[in-house]
Amino acid sequence: MFLSKNRLAYFYVFLGAALWGVIGLFIDRLAQADFSALQIVTLRVVSASAMLMMFVGFKDAKLLKIDLKDSMSFIGTGIFSIVFFNWAYFTAIEEVSLSIAVILLYTGPAFVIILSRIFFGEPMTGRKVGALVLTLLGCVLVIKVFPITADRLSWYGLLVGLGSGFGYAFYSIFGKHALQKYHPLTVITYTFVFASIVMLPTSGITIEIKQLASVDVWLQILGLGFFPTALAYYLYTVGLSMVESGRASIAATVEPLVATLLGVWIFNDVLTSFQIIGMLFVLSAVVLVQFRGRVKADLKQY
C-alpha cells in the first residue's frame, strides 16, 4: 500500500513538472502577439486564478473557506514564491542569459532541502545530496550553459538568479505547511488569488484591445492558465502532500527535459551528446531520490 502511494505521488509530481515544461508553446505564441514577458506572467496568474475560483466554487464551495490567520501560507506561495520568483527570473534573463537564468532557478531544490530540514525536520540524506548534484550537473548540460563568456556574467544577475531559485523553493515550503490543514485545490486557488492581487496593480500591464481581438490569443491565454499553471500546480501540490518537500522538488526537475524534448519535436532542435548525458543525469537523480523510500517499503512487506 505504501509503495503504491509513493509511486502515485511521484507520478503526480512528474506529470505536473512535465506540464510546466510545455509552457514555452504558449509563451511563444503570446510573444508573437506582442505581449511582453510581464504581461504574459500576469495573464497566466490571473487566468489560472479565475478558472480555479470558478471550478472550486462549483465543485465544493467549502474548499474556498480559510482562516485569515492562515493567509501567511498563501502569501508565501502566491507572493513570496510565484510573484517574486517570476520577477527575479525575468530580471536574471535580462542580466545574464536564458540558459544561466534557468540553471540558477533550478538551485531551488537545494533551498527546499535546506529549508525543509529547518522547518519540517526532513533528513538531509546522502541520497538527497547526491541526487541534487546530479540534477544540477544534468540541467547545466541540458540547457547548454557552457561555454560561459565574460559578457554573459553579472553579479547582480547571478544574485537575482539565485533569488529566483529561493523564491521557487518557497512554494514547496509554504505549500507543504498549508497542506497540513487545507486541500490541494484550496492551496493552489489562493496561491494564484494572492498572486493576482499583487500583479494586477503593480505589473503596469497595458493591453490594447486589438491584442485581445484574436480567438487564437484567447485560446493561448486559457491554455496557459490551465495546462502549465492550474493543472500543473495542482498535480505537483497533490504529489507534494504525499512525499517530502525535498524529494518532490528534485523529482520536478524533469521540467527542463520535457521543454528540451518539446523543442526537438516542435521546433526541430538537435540534441547534442552533452544534452543526452545531462538528461540521463537528471533521470538518475529522480530514480535515486525515490530509492530509499522503495527499500523501506519493501522491508515493511516482511
Side-chain angles (χ1 to χ4, degrees):
M1 182 67 178
F2 178 88
L3 183 58
S4 176
K5 182 179 179 180
N6 190 58
R7 286 177 174 171
L8 185 60
Y10 284 108
F11 172 76
Y12 284 134
V13 171
F14 296 156
L15 191 54
L19 286 173
W20 283 336
V22 306
I23 192 173
L25 295 178
F26 301 100
I27 290 177
D28 183 64
R29 296 293 293 274
L30 289 172
Q32 290 178 23
D34 296 325
F35 288 94
S36 68
L38 191 56
Q39 287 178 329
I40 293 172
V41 173
T42 303
L43 289 171
R44 178 191 187 192
V45 168
V46 173
S47 60
S49 175
M51 284 187 279
L52 285 166
M53 285 292 287
M54 288 188 290
F55 175 74
V56 177
F58 281 113
K59 181 180 185 296
D60 187 356
K62 293 180 180 179
L63 293 177
L64 294 176
K65 294 181 180 180
I66 61 171
D67 291 333
L68 288 179
K69 64 181 180 180
D70 296 323
S71 295
M72 190 61 203
S73 293
F74 306 116
I75 290 174
T77 56
I79 299 174
F80 293 166
S81 182
I82 301 296
V83 175
F84 175 71
F85 104 68
N86 273 288
W87 170 81
Y89 180 55
F90 284 113
T91 301
I93 291 174
E94 293 175 356
E95 291 292 323
V96 283
S97 68
L98 175 60
S99 56
I100 295 177
V102 170
I103 294 303
L104 293 173
L105 176 64
Y106 277 96
T107 58
F111 291 120
V112 172
I113 289 175
I114 294 171
L115 293 173
S116 295
R117 174 63 177 174
I118 295 172
F119 293 109
F120 305 123
E122 293 183 4
M124 189 178 294
T125 65
R127 291 189 185 280
K128 282 185 184 178
V129 174
L132 185 61
V133 171
L134 282 174
T135 294
L136 291 175
L137 287 175
C139 287
V140 165
L141 295 174
V142 169
I143 306 300
K144 297 190 292 187
V145 171
F146 295 106
I148 298 177
T149 57
D151 61 330
R152 295 174 65 188
L153 294 178
S154 157
W155 284 112
Y156 175 67
L158 292 175
L159 184 62
V160 174
L162 286 172
S164 72
F166 198 64
Y168 180 86
F170 275 151
Y171 183 82
S172 294
I173 300 304
F174 283 100
K176 190 73 171 180
H177 181 265
L179 285 166
Q180 294 174 0
K181 185 175 181 179
Y182 294 103
H183 190 279
L185 277 174
T186 304
V187 175
I188 62 168
T189 298
Y190 280 101
T191 290
F192 289 108
V193 166
F194 275 81
S196 297
I197 290 172
V198 171
M199 293 207 72
L200 274 174
T202 62
S203 62
I205 186 169
T206 53
I207 302 174
E208 297 181 14
I209 297 298
K210 65 179 182 180
Q211 286 181 284
L212 297 174
S214 168
V215 173
D216 181 67
V217 165
W218 278 105
L219 290 176
Q220 298 305 319
I221 293 173
L222 293 175
L224 175 66
F226 180 69
F227 292 107
T229 310
L231 182 58
Y233 271 92
Y234 173 70
L235 291 168
Y236 177 77
T237 304
V238 171
L240 180 64
S241 69
M242 301 163 69
V243 294
E244 293 179 357
S245 302
R247 294 179 185 276
S249 63
I250 292 175
T253 53
V254 297
E255 177 188 351
L257 273 65
V258 174
T260 301
L261 291 174
L262 201 63
V264 173
W265 181 41
I266 302 295
F267 303 111
N268 297 317
D269 294 342
V270 178
L271 282 177
T272 67
S273 57
F274 284 111
Q275 285 181 299
I276 295 173
I277 294 172
M279 289 181 177
L280 293 175
F281 277 177
V282 173
L283 291 175
S284 297
V286 170
V287 172
L288 182 62
V289 82
Q290 299 177 64
F291 186 71
R292 185 180 178 184
R294 290 185 179 181
V295 171
K296 286 185 175 180
D298 290 338
L299 290 175
K300 287 185 178 183
Q301 303 296 321
Y302 298 95

